[in-house]
Structures are given as C-alpha cells and as structure tokens.
Amino acid sequence: MSTTTPMASPMKKQIAAMRGYLEEVGHFTKLDPDQDSWLPITKSRKGNAYYSAFHTLCSGIGVQALVLPLAFTTLGWIWGLFCLSLVFIWQLYTLWLLIQLHESESGIRYSRYLGLTMAAFGEKPGKLLAMFPTMYLSGGTCVFLVMIGGGAMKILFQLVCEPDTCNLKPLTTLGWYLVFTCLATIILAKLPNLNSIAGVSLVGAITAVGYCTLIWLVSIIKGSPVGVSYDPPEAKSDLARVSSILNALGIIAFAFRGHNLVLEIQGTMPSSTEEPSRIPMWRGVKVAYTIIAMCLFPLAIGGYWSYGTMIPANEGMLNALYKYHGQDTSKALLQLTSLFVVINSLSSFQIYAMPTLDNWESKYTSRFNKPCPQWLGSMFRVLFGCLGFFVPVALPCLPSLAGLIGGIALPISLAYPCFMWILIKKPQKHSAMWFLNWVLGVSGMVISVLVVFGAIWAIVTMGIEAHFFNPQ
C-alpha cells in the first residue's frame, strides 16, 4: 500500500491549483507558448461565441454565393436543390468534426488547419496535402475579392456620378483594383491579429446578408425578363454534358469555402476544462450557418427562378440585376447593393489574409526565435496587398475558373476532416462513425478529382476570354 507524506499532499494541491490556473487562462498546451503568442492568429485569445459567429458568417458567405444560380442552369431544379442541400449538410458535419478536433486529449490546440493535417497524416504528407489548398484558398480568395470589390467600386461610381451631371473622369478597371487594394491593405495594416478584426467581420457579415437579401428580393419582385428559359443548354457531346455537371458541382463547392479558417477562428478563444473552446465555437457556428442557409438557398432559388439560363456566364446575380433591372430599379437601391458588396469584400479580405500572413510570420519567428518586428509585419501586409493586386491584373480571367477553384479546395471542406477524425480519434472499426467518415472522405476525394477534370475539360472545349494585363 502506498503512503503519502505530509509534505506531498500540499505540494499536490499546489500543482493541481497551478494546473487549473493555466487551464483557465487558456495556455495549458504543448505548443510553444511564446511563438504562439507572437503570431497573428493566436496572439490574442479573448474570443467568444459572438466573435465566432461574426468570423464564421463573414468567411462563410460572400460574393462567391452570387454565382450559385449558374449551377442550377446545368443541374435544373431538382438536382440543383438536392446537390445544394447535400453539400450544405455535408460541410456542416465536417465543420463539426474540425471543431471537435481542435483540442487533443493531450492538451495540444491545433489553431491552424495545416497543423492539424500534419498531426493526422504526418509532417511531410500533411504539408503536401494541405499547404497548397489552404494557402490557395487564403490568397486566391483575396485575389477574387480584389476583382469583385474593384468591379463593384466601378459600378458604384457609374451609378453615383452620371456623365450628364458629373465632370469627374472615371477610372479604368485597373485603377479601381488599385483603389480597392490600397484600402484593404491600409485596413489590414491597422489590425495586428485575427481577434482584433471581430468588428470588421461583423460589418462584413451584415453587409453580406444585406446584399444577398436585396439581390434576390429585387430580382423576384421585378420579375423575370422576357424569354426566360429553364432548359439546360444543349451539350455538344455526352462528355461535354458530364463536364458541365461537374463544373456546376464545383461552383456549389466554391460557395462553401471557409473551412480553412475554422480552426484559426477557434484558436482566438480561451479554453478550460469547465468550458473548452469547442462549446462557444459550435454555438457561434450554429447561429452563423442558420443565417447562411437563409441567404444562400433563397439566392440560388430566387436567382434561377428570376433569370433561368439568362444569367450572365461567370458573372452571377449582381451583373444579372444590373443587366435586366438596371433601368426599372431605384438607383439608391442599386447604389446600396454595390456599396454593401464593396464593404463586404474589404471585410472578407482581412480575415482571408490572416492565414498567409500568419504563415509568413511563423517562418521568421521559428528561425530567429523572437517576435516579428512591427515594420516587417507591415511589409508583409504591403507585399500581400501587392500580390493581391498583381494577380487579377495579370490574370483577369480568374472568375471563369470558379469550378476549378471549387474542385481544388473541395477536399479541405469535405474529405480531409473525415480522414483526420479516423486517424486522430480512432473510432472502433466498422462502427457507424468509422463507416460514415470513410464513405464521406473517399466520396469527397473522388468528387474533387471529377470536378477538377470537368472544369479543365470545360475550359479546354469552351475556352475563356483571357485579357492578360488588360482587365475589362
């Protein structure tokens, strides 16, 4: 029988008390606490369920939703609704998986998607599988936002400053891209970490809900243009038809990007044994995705009902609204819609830039074992803004690649979380969770390969308008 000395008992109490204190302040982790506190994503752990909802809503809904009706032009009503509903439920389930995997039983918090994949698949395989898609989603989405935000600025200027009453000379598309990039970079330079942009994410979430609701409501109230049709366009061959369907699935997948930010958002929250971070995180996510569903489904259904196959290819609902109802809709309403798109694009740019900036700064802190100087952090932000401006100017055809982008990013949302759950949680073989995650993970990878193939085939057969270094 073991005995306990009088001195051991108070010591154990002190150790237990110290451990409880460390857990309460959210630092009981096996990660390097110094380096973690130096990086933009985990520099501040003062988040809560409200911040979770703001960030998730801002990253989960945006201008990519405006192209959703294009998927219906190929899939039709029944299959369009079925695929949209299936992907929504599927990605919500994998979102739950990621939230549960954020904290391991050993105490380690995986506050970055890349870190979790490395823990699950191994360091080198994890980097190989996740580095490109996550950085691609981070930087690629910001490039897309420069194009959408700059284009919305151009439209807003045309609506406010009419040629008959305004003597100001309008900027070129390239000029508006530059204006948007400068504004986005200035805001980014003022926000040192992910937790500090909670207010920006709230503004972005409100404006996203605002313009999505305005666009589908106005489109339905104004009615369909003459000659609207819901018959899918005829394909030249069976292979072309299949590639169009796969491209439509890629568009739906692209509308649900944002999983590469879930762990990062959760990393801004404190965690304790009494209330681990997964509780407030999931509470905020449930609210956010309820609102996302209330935006995306009416937008897809209302947009397809209003315009059918007449939706401008690769441009979506915003351009359809201006094209078919620009003359019979209040200019103030059109101006407000454009303004909302601009503000939301500026806000979303902030949250999607953080993973790339965090990755850049982590390389500096790992090498020199000290925080990144403020001047260097500012230079990183300016460099990121310059790249975000250069790419859409050099490759203005990127909106035509929505299906391809969705296919490449699809495993991040639908496949990897299922495999990571199996490898980390190790559910009992042949159990319901084991079987479900294997089926969903393998299906996600197969669909991703097929979608990428379909998108490439559609580009090769149909072609794209490539105005290199000449944005229209």
Side-chain angles (χ1 to χ4, degrees), residues 64 67-76 78-88 90-91 240-257 401-411 413-414 443-455 458:
Q64 78 285 349
V67 297
L68 266 179
L70 284 171
F72 279 60
T73 60
T74 299
L75 299 173
I78 297 176
W79 283 108
L81 280 171
F82 174 78
C83 292
L84 181 60
S85 302
L86 177 64
V87 174
F88 180 82
W90 189 344
Q91 59 88 37
R241 174 66 177 164
V242 172
S243 68
S244 297
I245 293 173
L246 294 174
N247 195 50
L249 293 176
I251 291 173
I252 293 176
F254 181 57
F256 291 111
R257 89 276 185 273
L401 307 178
L404 180 61
I405 295 172
I408 294 174
L410 194 145
S413 301
L414 303 185
S443 299
M445 294 303 298
V446 171
I447 293 173
S448 175
V449 172
L450 292 175
V451 168
V452 170
F453 169 78

Side-chain angles (χ1 to χ4, degrees), residues 220-290:
I220 290 178
I221 292 172
K222 294 298 180 181
S224 304
V226 178
V228 66
S229 172
Y230 303 104
D231 297 327
E234 293 185 8
K236 296 180 180 179
S237 64
D238 291 339
L239 186 58
R241 174 66 177 164
V242 172
S243 68
S244 297
I245 293 173
L246 294 174
N247 195 50
L249 293 176
I251 291 173
I252 293 176
F254 181 57
F256 291 111
R257 89 276 185 273
H259 278 52
N260 64 310
L261 290 170
V262 172
L263 297 172
E264 285 80 351
I265 295 170
Q266 193 171 350
T268 65
M269 298 181 177
S271 187
S272 66
T273 52
E274 287 74 18
E275 187 173 358
S277 61
R278 65 177 178 270
I279 295 176
M281 181 66 190
W282 181 241
R283 194 182 301 140
V285 165
K286 286 189 292 185
V287 173
Y289 270 83
T290 300

Side-chain angles (χ1 to χ4, degrees), residues 317-347:
M317 286 288 289
L318 186 62
N319 290 78
L321 179 65
Y322 293 135
K323 182 176 180 179
Y324 299 113
H325 298 299
Q327 302 301 320
D328 58 356
T329 303
S330 167
K331 282 192 176 181
L333 198 59
L334 294 175
Q335 292 168 3
L336 182 62
T337 303
S338 299
L339 181 61
F340 279 174
V341 172
V342 172
I343 295 174
N344 172 255
S345 298
L346 288 170
S347 302

Side-chain angles (χ1 to χ4, degrees), residues 117-339:
T117 55
M118 290 168 61
F121 300 115
E123 185 174 352
K124 290 184 177 179
K127 282 185 178 180
L128 183 65
L129 290 171
M131 176 65 82
F132 176 73
T134 52
M135 293 300 105
Y136 180 77
L137 271 176
S138 175
T141 301
C142 287
V143 168
F144 191 72
L145 289 168
V146 170
M147 302 181 74
I148 296 297
M153 281 183 168
K154 181 179 179 180
I155 294 174
L156 180 60
F157 179 85
Q158 292 171 347
L159 290 170
V160 173
C161 187
E162 298 180 359
D164 297 336
T165 59
C166 184
N167 296 324
L168 294 176
K169 185 179 179 180
L171 297 176
T172 61
T173 302
L174 187 148
W176 287 116
Y177 286 179
L178 182 59
V179 171
F180 179 89
T181 304
C182 290
L183 288 175
T185 306
I186 290 171
I187 297 172
L188 190 63
K190 299 294 183 181
L191 302 169
N193 56 70
L194 184 58
N195 195 60
S196 67
I197 68 171
V200 176
S201 292
L202 174 60
V203 173
I206 293 172
T207 51
V209 173
Y211 70 71
C212 285
T213 305
L214 281 174
I215 289 174
W216 72 260
L217 268 178
V218 172
S219 298
I220 290 178
I221 292 172
K222 294 298 180 181
S224 304
V226 178
V228 66
S229 172
Y230 303 104
D231 297 327
E234 293 185 8
K236 296 180 180 179
S237 64
D238 291 339
L239 186 58
R241 174 66 177 164
V242 172
S243 68
S244 297
I245 293 173
L246 294 174
N247 195 50
L249 293 176
I251 291 173
I252 293 176
F254 181 57
F256 291 111
R257 89 276 185 273
H259 278 52
N260 64 310
L261 290 170
V262 172
L263 297 172
E264 285 80 351
I265 295 170
Q266 193 171 350
T268 65
M269 298 181 177
S271 187
S272 66
T273 52
E274 287 74 18
E275 187 173 358
S277 61
R278 65 177 178 270
I279 295 176
M281 181 66 190
W282 181 241
R283 194 182 301 140
V285 165
K286 286 189 292 185
V287 173
Y289 270 83
T290 300
I291 299 173
I292 289 173
M294 293 168 62
C295 290
L296 296 190
F297 281 87
L299 187 65
I301 296 169
Y304 184 57
W305 178 87
S306 300
Y307 307 111
T309 57
M310 298 174 67
I311 298 176
N314 303 318
E315 295 177 347
M317 286 288 289
L318 186 62
N319 290 78
L321 179 65
Y322 293 135
K323 182 176 180 179
Y324 299 113
H325 298 299
Q327 302 301 320
D328 58 356
T329 303
S330 167
K331 282 192 176 181
L333 198 59
L334 294 175
Q335 292 168 3
L336 182 62
T337 303
S338 299
L339 181 61

